Amino acid sequence: MTALPLILTVFVACAVEAIEALTIVLAAGLTREWRSTFQGMAVALLVLAAIVAALGPTITLLPLTALRLVVGALLAIFGLQWLRKAILRATGYKSLHDEASAYLREVAAAKAAATSSRGRVHDWYAFTLSFKGVLLEGLEVIFIVITFGANQRNVGAAVIGAAAAVIVVAVTGVLVRAPLAKVPENALKFAVGIMLTSFGIFWGAEGAGVAWPGNDAALLVLVPVVALVALCYTVLLRRPQGVRPASAPTSASASASEEVSSS
């Protein structure tokens, strides 16, 4: 794989995670206070940097065959999970992921929470909300960067794609000071699920000893095949318009629980 497809794949995947982190940070900062929000974000970034420093070099030293087998299996698992959720949302069996609604729920919870300080942190709620949001989404970004970069022996290109995604999302969020609700996130997750599944199958098979015809060029066939299968499932499972999902949340708390489990 050349550097450009790797950068674009990592960019799209990391952009989804960055949008979700942005939603949480904006809710904490605009509703509570920015100082504690930035403190939580800074601590989360330090933890993520420590994880990268500890795991990054170790993973890149593993034999390429074993690395591709393990990482391929993990990517296929994650990709199929993303595809499953995207298909369920597209067919009406699961509520669409709405960043505007997620933002409003976070704002409502932030307004209702009491203010308490700990040490140098003036607003502990804003600190923890920002910390957890950035840390959880950041861990997924790290996984994407390390797995794609290590498998292609081009971590630099993967880092460029991830950094570009975070910068674009962060700058856009600062300019509009609102969650990126108009971004077709389910379509992005559908595309990312296809890419993760395809690369997972490709690398896992290579790690198991399969020699793909044309080497990396086989992805030009594998990706469309996975996409076609996913689209066929979407068409076959599509619910009639006006029929609500049986598991649709009926209260604010249920809705919030759904948001946590589906992100």
Side-chain angles (χ1 to χ4, degrees):
M1 180 194 292
T2 60
L4 183 58
L6 175 60
I7 292 173
L8 293 177
T9 300
V10 173
F11 176 90
V12 175
C14 293
V16 175
E17 309 301 338
I19 290 172
E20 295 181 358
L22 172 68
T23 300
I24 296 172
V25 170
L26 285 175
L30 293 174
T31 307
R32 307 289 292 194
E33 66 165 38
W34 283 109
R35 179 181 175 182
S36 299
T37 299
F38 285 140
Q39 287 176 329
M41 184 170 60
V43 173
L45 291 176
L46 289 175
V47 173
L48 292 172
I51 293 174
V52 171
L55 297 181
T58 303
I59 292 178
T60 56
L61 292 176
L62 293 175
L64 185 59
T65 300
L67 181 66
R68 286 185 170 174
L69 180 61
V70 174
V71 170
L74 291 174
L75 282 180
I77 292 172
F78 279 105
L80 288 172
Q81 288 179 340
W82 281 41
L83 266 183
R84 172 181 171 274
K85 292 177 182 178
I87 291 172
L88 289 177
R89 287 178 177 133
T91 55
Y93 283 89
K94 190 178 183 69
S95 300
L96 286 173
H97 186 88
D98 188 347
E99 286 301 328
S101 298
Y103 175 76
L104 292 176
R105 286 194 294 272
E106 294 289 357
V107 167
K111 288 182 177 178
T115 301
S116 62
S117 59
R118 297 187 184 182
R120 295 185 178 182
V121 178
H122 180 261
D123 191 332
W124 186 249
Y125 183 88
F127 176 91
T128 54
L129 181 61
S130 175
F131 173 81
K132 289 188 292 184
V134 173
L135 181 64
L136 292 176
E137 305 303 335
L139 286 173
E140 296 198 37
V141 169
I142 289 175
F143 173 78
I144 293 168
V145 170
I146 291 180
T147 52
F148 273 82
N151 267 287
Q152 293 302 307
R153 292 294 192 250
N154 195 350
V155 176
V159 170
I160 291 173
V166 173
I167 291 172
V168 168
V169 171
V171 170
T172 305
V174 169
L175 292 177
V176 303
R177 295 176 68 86
L180 305 183
K182 294 184 179 181
V183 175
E185 188 173 350
N186 196 58
L188 288 177
K189 288 189 174 182
F190 195 91
V192 172
I194 291 171
M195 298 303 291
L196 293 181
T197 303
S198 301
F199 282 111
I201 295 171
F202 182 81
W203 287 333
E206 276 195 335
V210 173
W212 290 96
N215 296 322
D216 287 352
L219 284 167
L220 298 178
V221 177
L222 187 58
V223 172
V225 168
V226 174
L228 180 61
V229 172
L231 289 173
C232 287
Y233 273 111
T234 302
V235 173
L236 291 173
L237 297 174
R238 189 177 298 279
R239 296 175 68 95
Q241 292 186 356
V243 178
R244 294 182 57 189
S247 59
T250 56
S251 65
S253 59
S255 181
S257 299
E258 168 68 13
E259 176 63 30
V260 172
S261 63
S262 63
S263 60

